[in-house]
Amino acid sequence: MHDAPLIATLVSGIVLAFVFAALAHKLRLPPLAGYLMAGVVVGPFTPGYVADGHLAHQLAEVGVVLLMFGVGLHFSLKDLLSVKNIAIPGALGQMAVATVLGMLLGWALGWPFAQGFVFGLALSVASTVVLLRAMEEHRLMETERGRIAVGWLIVEDLAMVLALVLLPAIGLALGSGTQGGAALSFGAIAGTVAFTIGKVALFVALMLVVGKRLIPWILKVVAYTGSRELFRLAVLAIALGVAFGAAGLFGVSFELGAFFAGMMMGESKLAQRATEETLPLRDAFAVLFFVSIGMLFNYQVVLTQPWVVLAALLIVVLGKSLAAFGIVLVSGRPLRTALTIATSLAQIGEFSFILIGVGVVQNLVSKEAQDVLLAAAILSILLNPLLFKLLDRAKPWLDAREARQRGHDAATIIATPPEILITSTLSAHVVVAGYGRVGRLIGEALHDQGQAVLVLEEEKERVAMLHQHGIATIVGNAARDDVLEAANLAHARALVVTVPDAFESGEVVRVARLANPRLQIIARADSAASEAHLQQQGADLVVLAQSELARGMLEHLRAGQAGQTVTPDAA
């Protein structure tokens, strides 16, 4: 397949990613471990077929662009500004700490000052793909913790844009004493900084003034054509076109350009549809990102310099995370937020590779240091899901700690460890599992009618909303046995399951049916397969969204034939 390297790289990457991800699942490892292994297999450091690393990197870049575009769709300028007081000083402070630690490691190893500086800077910036995937998997994107993490990423992104522009100049200045280069004046560096910041500011202003109006208008015009293919193409064209234009015209990274394109498109009422159209392509290309990282990995460095790799890994997982943890706590944020931010930043990725690569090209960094960084990056990416699992296990303790701080508010029952679990004393009540858009409508309606309602919800922001409305709540995942036991299902009148995940909602229905065979259980489903699964688990009634929509439309038609007027609420 030498005559079709693009096809060969794409096919080999996706096929092997699937094979190794399936094997990782069998071994109870995170899927990204399989993706990384697929990259190692087709990389230049293992025998056999070698994929085109340059093409793989470009394909991976498409995945990162689409990922940041998707984040932008659900992230408004207001959200970004709301976390600026913690994201800006936090990101810069954490980057400074990690850079100094990297420089100290370089000094201990006898590296030149410039190499230690670039190495430390590369250790300081987190991977966009890894962080956002973790946030999405743990449903944190719409929480304050998620907004802080994304804002933190944006600041790091901007700092890296500036670093990549200035690296050749700074490197020359740093290396002038040992390499005979001409030292640059402070004025020249300041001028370069000002020019770069000016271009970024011009891009942001253009997006806020022109893009905020133009992008939603284009989407609306295309939607009026009624062509789903054309709409999908328009979304991709805007995402990739703005990202490419931002990089080419303003020197902004692809990721930052795509993020702002998503933010501007998020102003449109069609933002949710745009998200759905890009999701499959985004996930496929995101897999190629991890494959491309695996291709860069030279496993020999782990055997020849294990202690150096371990030291770099500790800077990423402990040093950088502890700095972020301390900064978030000092800012007055809760312990849960500090732990989440620290855990999400305990890895490095794409910008680290780009920065260290530029350092190698500029003769500032040795190939040996690049291999050490790549090894530390892959190990940190593999460890990150495990750290999030530890954070999940700490959730009951965090819940109990926050309950003590609030003085055990009477309106809220906290799901704490089983030995001190508080069971609801309500009876003939309706239990609502999940307080998203559907659960909120149901819960508030029942509460307004004076009916006894108990909501099962684990997101802190939603719990605060429930507390404001005076609705009794058990804080915890509805699929947990202890949470369902605390809901006192044996004396409940009904259970309404609004959790969108079919597997999780099926588990809730199954446990509830065992707890009370006479309990009325109503559940939501988004597909026929989910509907059948929930019925099999014991639900009395499963509401399929598409079926209810069709029923409402038919009622409108019947009412029209009878000469009646039906309001939208009646449907």
Side-chain angles (χ1 to χ4, degrees):
M1 293 296 291
H2 295 290
D3 56 337
L6 176 61
I7 296 176
T9 301
L10 190 62
V11 172
S12 61
I14 290 178
V15 170
L16 287 175
F18 165 71
V19 171
F20 283 103
L23 181 61
H25 179 74
K26 189 75 173 177
L27 298 174
R28 298 184 180 278
L29 295 173
L32 60 85
Y35 306 153
L36 292 169
M37 183 55 64
V40 172
V41 170
V42 298
F45 304 104
T46 51
Y49 170 74
V50 177
D52 190 316
H54 183 66
L55 285 176
H57 174 73
Q58 292 190 41
L59 291 171
E61 192 74 28
V62 175
V64 180
V65 165
L66 293 176
L67 190 67
M68 285 300 288
F69 174 73
V71 173
L73 280 170
H74 300 287
F75 205 88
S76 67
L77 183 63
K78 181 181 178 182
D79 292 332
L80 195 59
L81 294 176
S82 69
V83 297
K84 68 179 186 301
N85 292 334
I86 176 63
I88 295 175
L92 296 179
Q94 170 252 299
M95 290 179 69
V97 170
T99 301
V100 170
L101 290 175
M103 292 172 67
L104 289 175
L105 176 60
W107 173 77
L109 296 172
W111 289 353
F113 182 79
Q115 177 167 311
F117 173 76
V118 176
F119 183 80
L121 192 58
L123 290 177
S124 71
V125 56
S127 166
T128 298
V129 177
V130 176
L131 190 149
L132 294 182
R133 271 181 162 248
M135 290 287 143
E136 289 179 344
E137 288 176 6
H138 292 81
R139 296 188 293 178
L140 296 172
M141 286 302 299
E142 296 181 3
T143 66
E144 184 191 26
R145 290 169 281 164
R147 289 192 292 270
I148 292 174
V150 172
W152 203 292
L153 268 180
I154 298 304
V155 175
E156 287 189 349
D157 197 346
L158 288 169
M160 284 297 102
V161 169
L162 190 61
L164 290 171
V165 172
L166 295 176
L167 190 59
I170 294 176
L172 183 60
L174 291 174
S176 61
T178 58
Q179 298 177 14
L184 295 179
S185 66
F186 174 79
I189 294 179
T192 305
V193 171
F195 182 66
T196 302
I197 293 176
K199 289 196 298 182
V200 173
L202 180 60
F203 166 72
V204 173
L206 188 66
M207 293 300 295
L208 293 178
V209 175
V210 180
K212 189 174 182 179
R213 295 170 175 80
L214 182 61
I215 291 176
W217 177 80
I218 293 173
L219 213 60
K220 183 178 179 180
V221 171
V222 174
Y224 280 153
T225 65
S227 171
R228 182 175 182 179
E229 292 81 3
L230 192 60
F231 182 85
R232 184 185 298 120
L233 188 61
V235 172
L236 293 174
I238 291 171
L240 299 176
V242 172
F244 186 78
L249 298 176
F250 300 97
V252 176
S253 67
F254 290 117
E255 294 82 358
L256 192 63
F259 175 78
F260 271 95
M263 276 183 61
M264 298 307 102
M265 190 177 289
E267 300 292 326
S268 169
K269 295 180 180 179
L270 298 166
Q272 182 60 38
R273 183 178 168 190
T275 303
E276 295 170 355
E277 294 294 345
T278 57
L279 188 61
L281 194 63
R282 185 191 74 181
D283 289 345
F285 278 97
V287 167
L288 291 174
F289 164 77
F290 294 105
V291 174
S292 69
I293 293 177
M295 291 178 64
L296 297 171
F297 180 48
N298 183 1
Y299 58 88
Q300 292 293 334
V301 72
V302 179
L303 303 176
T304 58
Q305 301 190 66
W307 298 113
V308 179
V309 172
L310 179 61
L313 179 64
L314 289 176
I315 291 175
V316 174
V317 175
L318 287 181
K320 190 169 71 161
S321 296
L322 287 175
F325 177 79
I327 291 169
V328 176
L329 277 186
V330 168
S331 72
R333 294 310 199 279
L335 177 63
R336 187 193 302 269
T337 300
L339 286 172
T340 302
I341 300 301
T343 303
S344 63
L345 296 172
Q347 38 76 21
I348 55 176
E350 57 274 10
F351 261 121
S352 304
F353 310 143
I354 296 171
L355 189 70
I356 203 79
V358 172
V360 171
V361 171
Q362 296 293 326
N363 294 319
L364 297 174
V365 179
S366 66
K367 190 68 174 64
E368 171 191 44
Q370 185 183 38
D371 289 339
V372 169
L373 182 126
L374 288 170
I378 289 180
L379 291 173
S380 70
I381 290 172
L382 288 173
L383 285 173
N384 201 245
L386 301 179
L387 295 177
F388 266 99
K389 285 187 177 180
L390 291 176
L391 184 60
D392 287 340
R393 290 188 177 183
K395 192 175 184 302
W397 176 77
L398 290 170
D399 289 340
R401 183 178 184 276
E402 291 177 359
R404 289 193 297 270
Q405 290 176 343
R406 288 195 303 267
H408 295 281
D409 190 278
T412 303
I413 304 169
I414 301 298
T416 51
E419 61 270 20
I420 53 175
L421 186 65
I422 304 171
T423 302
S424 172
T425 58
L426 293 174
S427 61
H429 57 293
V430 178
V431 179
V432 179
Y435 201 66
R437 287 176 293 181
V438 177
R440 181 178 177 182
L441 290 172
I442 295 172
E444 290 183 356
L446 292 172
H447 181 69
D448 292 343
Q449 293 169 10
Q451 299 191 43
V453 182
L454 176 64
V455 176
L456 313 181
E457 177 56 56
E458 63 178 338
E459 291 302 336
K460 183 179 177 181
E461 286 76 7
R462 293 174 180 173
V463 171
M465 188 185 303
L466 285 159
H467 172 59
Q468 290 174 358
H469 286 84
I471 300 176
T473 308
I474 294 179
V475 182
N477 191 310
R480 280 171 42 187
D481 291 353
D482 55 344
V483 173
L484 288 170
E485 183 180 347
N488 195 13
L489 293 174
H491 297 90
R493 179 166 65 86
L495 168 66
V496 181
V497 185
T498 68
V499 180
D501 183 83
F503 178 81
E504 187 175 333
S505 58
E507 187 65 13
V508 173
V509 171
R510 184 187 67 82
V511 174
R513 180 54 70 207
L514 291 175
N516 186 350
R518 298 182 302 277
L519 181 67
Q520 181 186 12
I521 301 177
I522 304 172
R524 64 171 282 189
D526 296 325
S527 67
S530 300
E531 181 183 22
H533 174 66
L534 291 168
Q535 289 173 340
Q536 185 179 15
Q537 296 302 316
D540 296 300
L541 174 64
V542 180
V543 179
L544 184 61
Q546 296 92 323
S547 298
E548 289 303 300
L549 181 61
R551 184 184 64 81
M553 291 179 172
L554 287 172
E555 286 187 7
H556 272 288
L557 288 173
R558 285 194 291 267
Q561 290 173 353
Q564 300 174 1
T565 300
V566 179
T567 63
D569 291 339

